Amino acid sequence: MQDPSTQIWWMLFIISSAMTGYYGAIVGGVFKDSLMSQFRKYGEENRIYPVVRLLGVAGLTSMILVSLLPHINPAYLRELFPRSIFVLLAFAFWGAALVVLQQPTLRQSFPYWYFELLRTTSRQERRQIGYAWLRIPRLMRLRLNGDQSAFRVWAELVRLTVIYGAHDPDSPWDVWT
């Protein structure tokens, strides 16, 4: 049985690893829901830079792993990965996060689809894309999360609908409006 402080470190490691995976999925363009929710907000648009958050959380995970290394059971793993490697890795992640935060071109490099939408669409079009993202079925969202070109086509179709309006010329109900 492990002591309670070791269990707390393991829980912190699991949480920080999950956050690293989450931000990795956002940066890789595989998970779009959290960034699409930013488009739906009223008022000033908040720019989010997930690369900085990914590097920060990866450094935190590395530092938590430093404290867990003495408690890992196979002794060859402790000898294979000394603690100093993970400390240097953590400082490298945090240093890279500071560099990325100061350079606009690095900050806006990933995820590509997000900054492409910011460059090519107006605020109103982005809000419509964000609300249209809620309207599509979950399986379609999963498909568009994984396929970047299909997502680009879908976003352009939403933009065309916003610009020209969803008007059916053969609708018999248009007589009454």
Side-chain angles (χ1 to χ4, degrees):
M1 184 79 185
Q2 296 176 350
D3 61 334
S5 65
T6 307
Q7 291 176 349
I8 291 172
W9 281 112
W10 278 110
M11 289 300 293
L12 288 174
F13 176 70
I14 290 170
I15 291 169
S16 66
S17 297
M19 288 173 58
T20 303
Y22 171 74
Y23 285 119
I26 290 174
V27 167
V30 177
F31 186 68
K32 294 181 176 63
D33 286 343
S34 59
L35 292 178
M36 291 297 254
S37 69
Q38 294 298 315
F39 292 150
R40 293 189 303 265
K41 292 183 179 177
Y42 288 99
E44 273 305 307
E45 199 169 27
N46 293 332
R47 298 281 169 97
I48 294 180
Y49 306 111
V51 175
V52 177
R53 292 184 183 183
L54 172 66
L55 292 170
V57 173
L60 177 69
T61 303
S62 182
M63 284 304 272
I64 291 172
L65 198 55
V66 166
S67 64
L68 282 177
L69 267 177
H71 303 291
I72 293 178
N73 281 336
Y76 68 88
L77 284 177
R78 282 180 271 176
E79 295 170 5
L80 187 62
F81 300 110
R83 296 169 106 181
S84 60
I85 289 177
F86 289 108
V87 171
L88 289 174
L89 192 62
F91 285 126
F93 281 135
W94 289 331
L98 289 175
V99 169
V100 167
L101 191 60
Q102 293 173 355
Q103 298 292 326
T105 56
L106 293 175
R107 256 193 336 238
Q108 298 176 2
S109 58
F110 292 107
Y112 181 73
W113 67 268
Y114 177 69
F115 292 104
E116 181 183 338
L117 277 180
L118 287 176
R119 278 193 307 269
T120 60
T121 59
S122 67
R123 175 75 175 121
Q124 180 63 28
E125 290 170 346
R126 286 192 297 275
R127 287 195 68 240
Q128 294 293 331
I129 289 171
Y131 280 112
W133 185 256
L134 290 177
R135 302 283 305 195
I136 60 176
R138 184 175 293 135
L139 289 175
M140 177 87 168
R141 265 189 257 163
L142 287 174
R143 166 89 162 95
L144 293 176
N145 275 330
D147 190 357
Q148 302 303 319
S149 61
F151 174 78
R152 196 174 307 117
V153 169
W154 174 81
E156 287 298 318
L157 288 174
V158 172
R159 282 183 69 200
L160 286 173
T161 303
V162 170
I163 292 170
Y164 297 113
H167 177 71
D168 183 13
D170 298 327
S171 174
W173 299 104
D174 285 344
V175 174
W176 303 103
T177 58

